Amino acid sequence: MDFQEHFATEEACREYLFACRWPEGFRCRRCGGGEIGVMHARRRVWQCKGCGAQTSVTAGTLMHGTRTPLRLWFWAAYLLATHHPGISAVQLQRQLGIRHHETAWMLLHKLRRATVAPEREPLKREVEVDEFFLGGYEEGLSGGRARGKKTLCGVAVEVRGRGSGRLRLAVLDDASVGSLGSLLKATTEPGAIVNTDGWGGYSGLSALGYEHRPRNQSAAVPGEEPYLPRAHRAISNLKAWLHGTHRWASAEHLSAYLDEHVFRHNRRRNPHAAFQTLLGLSTIHRPSTYREIIDELPTAA
Ligand SMILES: [Zn+2]
């Protein structure tokens, strides 16, 4: 409710964008002047008092040139960034009172694409890695029979004390030494400790420079820490979200859903940074979003 009240008008949204662009006050890009004139009402641009240069507050963001009201962009990004289970186009359409389903779908699609790029710093220190099947949620088909429609995915998650750090998810071709090695190379810093099960597909990890610690499931001892608990928690969270929010995701769109899930997980303690990243605001001012997230996470002792 706070959010909706705060950004109830187009003007309030533009003021927020203005503050994002010039956190230390207006500075003209052309003449360096610090005085701003009135906003050009019809064209929605700000004009420098010194030289007359015009700047749009949406330049460089996802919203530039859009005919969709800023209020809708803001609210959609807010929901996507903070609504815990994420949101489907149908839910968004209902919540925002959008008449056309296509508008809701387009908003989500553009925002979702913004979840892919921003963060590719490798996972560090210690991770849990596992592979699992997704899909085949059609009713009446149980595990084995639906296998043909399932997609193999891999998960890598940082160990942070007793909790989980950052997460990566990826679609895998197969569970071979090559595929699982590629997953590690794409997600995790060499030298890191890598906990896996005893599957032979992980046998190449030591040769890639990781400190591989395989463990057979049968070797788990009562009273000891359960087996790959962070990876398994991440997988069940993902499945609950996919099944609950989207019913099911087709194989070709699965990667986009995995990216969205990872994006929200990795920013779960900083929804404001998630909101700004989604709208493309982090590219026009402080590039420190990632650092802020890292600083907020508890570090392993
Ligand atoms: Zn100027």
Side-chain angles (χ1 to χ4, degrees):
M1 284 312 289
D2 266 5
F3 186 92
Q4 269 187 309
E5 277 168 28
H6 197 87
F7 296 114
T9 64
E10 292 296 286
E11 201 186 345
C13 296
R14 270 194 301 274
E15 272 168 17
Y16 176 82
L17 294 177
F18 186 95
C20 284
R21 183 167 297 266
W22 295 293
E24 273 109 48
F26 174 76
R27 185 68 40 192
C28 175
R29 241 185 324 173
R30 194 201 283 170
C31 74
E35 260 194 283
I36 198 159
V38 285
M39 193 188 70
H40 195 291
R42 195 173 48 81
R43 297 184 50 214
R44 307 293 184 205
V45 292
W46 301 86
Q47 194 164 326
C48 168
K49 229 174 185 174
C51 73
Q54 295 181 333
T55 312
S56 161
V57 284
T58 56
T61 75
L62 263 192
M63 297 155 287
H64 195 56
T66 184
R67 286 157 70 184
T68 305
L70 297 178
R71 296 193 310 286
L72 286 192
W73 281 102
F74 272 50
W75 190 227
Y78 174 78
L79 290 174
L80 196 64
T82 62
H83 187 48
H84 185 63
I87 191 156
S88 71
V90 174
Q91 290 168 315
L92 184 71
Q93 185 185 2
R94 203 177 300 145
Q95 287 230 21
L96 298 183
I98 299 173
R99 194 180 320 158
H100 300 291
H101 183 74
E102 291 72 23
T103 306
W105 190 89
M106 180 277 298
L107 275 172
L108 271 190
H109 183 71
K110 288 198 171 169
L111 291 170
R112 192 169 282 130
R113 271 173 49 188
T115 65
V116 183
E119 188 198 25
R120 284 302 169 217
E121 278 259 329
L123 305 182
K124 292 186 166 78
R125 290 190 286 271
E126 182 171 2
V127 296
E128 292 178 1
V129 174
D130 205 357
E131 78 287 340
F132 59 101
F133 282 98
L134 267 188
Y137 292 129
E138 289 94 329
E139 233 163 297
L141 288 176
S142 58
R145 282 178 56 211
R147 183 59 62 87
K149 295 196 174 189
K150 285 173 184 274
T151 306
L152 186 68
C153 300
V155 57
V157 58
E158 280 177 333
V159 175
R160 291 274 175 93
R162 301 185 66 82
S164 299
R166 290 172 299 152
L167 174 71
R168 293 279 188 277
L169 294 163
V171 173
L172 299 175
D173 291 334
D174 52 47
S176 66
V177 170
S179 294
L180 293 168
S182 299
L183 171 71
L184 262 296
K185 279 192 277 185
T187 59
T188 306
E189 196 172 68
I193 297 166
V194 181
N195 298 289
T196 69
D197 59 27
W199 168 243
Y202 295 111
S203 61
L205 296 187
S206 295
L208 292 175
Y210 296 103
E211 191 178 331
H212 185 211
R213 293 184 185 170
R215 182 169 152 193
N216 290 315
Q217 195 153 15
S218 55
V221 177
E224 234 181 64
E225 182 168 274
Y227 169 79
L228 301 178
R230 297 164 191 82
H232 290 169
R233 203 180 310 136
I235 293 167
S236 66
N237 285 345
L238 171 71
K239 285 182 173 175
W241 170 67
L242 273 179
H243 195 38
T245 303
H246 297 291
R247 305 313 300 170
W248 79 296
S250 59
E252 70 261 38
H253 291 133
L254 195 54
S255 285
Y257 287 115
L258 295 185
D259 286 332
E260 182 190 337
H261 189 72
V262 165
F263 178 84
R264 200 166 20 245
H265 172 93
N266 290 347
R267 285 164 184 75
R268 66 198 182 282
R269 290 183 181 87
N270 197 343
H272 185 237
F275 172 74
Q276 293 200 323
T277 303
L278 284 175
L279 288 178
L281 299 176
S282 51
T283 59
I284 63 170
H285 81 127
R286 306 174 305 154
S288 57
T289 312
Y290 170 74
R291 184 51 49 195
E292 282 172 6
I293 296 157
I294 290 310
D295 288 344
E296 286 223 2
L297 292 172
T299 44

